[in-house]
Amino acid sequence: MNQSAGTSVDDFLSGRVQVVQPEKGFRAGTDSVLLAAALKASLRGEALEIGCGAGGALLPAAWRLPEARFTGLEKSLPMAALAVEGVGINNLQDRVAIVEGDAGAVPQDWQNRFDLVFSNPPFFEAGSIQQPGEGKDGAYLESISLKDWLSAMLFCVRPRGCIVMIHRASDLARILGVLERRAGEITVLPIRSYPGADAKRVLIKARKGLRPGPLRLLAGLDLYDARGGERTQELRAIASDGLGIDW
């Protein structure tokens, strides 16, 4: 397979997975790795990532969940094409399909189809931050509201199925406002840069259609030993060894 011009082939999980990414523009990093690690490795059945980009979470997830079949939905044709390249490089054609499409208009026959739906939605409302750099708009700026993005995830997941997402900690209230009426077994894992720092990210999982119950707020995960320090043992195990998050 010929590599697309203006791209790089980057190692994830210490070379266990390769992702084809633009050299300029949005490039997947720690958030994508954490999202993939947050999925239950024993899952069988159908999994969907809404907004898969070039596959920075999708491809490591497919490596980690060998019994599952994956669909990646991506509205940007160039990014979807890179994800297709990544599927081929990693020899995952039999279990991973890429579909071009928008989170705001998921196919009607996807209702209640998937056992798992996961996502790293755009973080910011249009106009709330300076215009991102070239090629980053789709990854940073909402094309639909966060509520509608969550609604798409809930539409696609089957009853009692699981959704998993990573997002800004500052948007946790908005996310819970949607989930608490439509899902149960909600669990929140704060992500901190280092011990004592405020959480900048949260991982959230929930199950569709269950009765609301007590929210589980976990102790959290530190990425570095200290400000400016080395990666924690937990992050090294996730990012280098492909281990999952036990939550």
Side-chain angles (χ1 to χ4, degrees), residues 7 29 39 66 197:
T7 65
L39 310 180

Side-chain angles (χ1 to χ4, degrees), residues 164-178:
V164 180
M165 68 183 301
I166 189 167
H167 209 274
R168 295 193 301 158
S170 59
D171 275 328
L172 179 59
R174 282 207 293 161
I175 294 166
L176 295 179
V178 176

Side-chain angles (χ1 to χ4, degrees), residues 69-131:
R69 297 177 300 278
F70 287 82
T71 299
L73 181 70
E74 175 53 45
K75 71 173 185 176
S76 165
L77 182 57
M79 294 298 278
L82 294 183
V84 170
E85 286 191 46
V87 170
I89 288 174
N90 292 282
N91 297 313
L92 292 169
Q93 299 94 325
D94 59 334
R95 291 197 297 116
V96 181
I98 307 300
V99 176
E100 185 192 357
D102 197 308
V106 294
Q108 288 299 305
D109 61 359
W110 282 9
Q111 184 174 19
N112 299 329
R113 170 179 164 181
F114 296 92
D115 301 285
L116 165 70
V117 177
F118 61 105
S119 188
N120 178 10
F123 283 172
F124 302 102
E125 296 178 272
S128 64
I129 61 170
Q130 285 188 322
Q131 188 68 20

Side-chain angles (χ1 to χ4, degrees), residues 154 157-164 176 178-188 204-216:
L154 290 163
V157 74
R158 64 170 176 79
R160 304 183 69 85
C162 187
I163 68 167
V164 180
L176 295 179
V178 176
L179 292 182
E180 286 176 336
R181 294 188 294 271
R182 301 177 61 183
E185 293 187 8
I186 300 173
T187 303
V188 178
I204 303 165
K205 66 178 178 180
R207 293 180 64 193
K208 176 180 173 178
L210 297 188
R211 291 182 179 180
L215 180 146
R216 293 182 64 220

Side-chain angles (χ1 to χ4, degrees), residues 27-92:
R27 292 171 59 82
T30 302
D31 288 352
S32 298
V33 171
L34 291 172
L35 179 60
L39 310 180
K40 191 174 181 180
S42 61
L43 177 80
R44 298 170 181 264
E46 297 279 345
L48 167 69
E49 184 182 8
I50 296 181
C52 70
L58 182 71
L59 299 174
W63 179 86
R64 289 197 59 250
L65 281 63
E67 301 298 322
R69 297 177 300 278
F70 287 82
T71 299
L73 181 70
E74 175 53 45
K75 71 173 185 176
S76 165
L77 182 57
M79 294 298 278
L82 294 183
V84 170
E85 286 191 46
V87 170
I89 288 174
N90 292 282
N91 297 313
L92 292 169

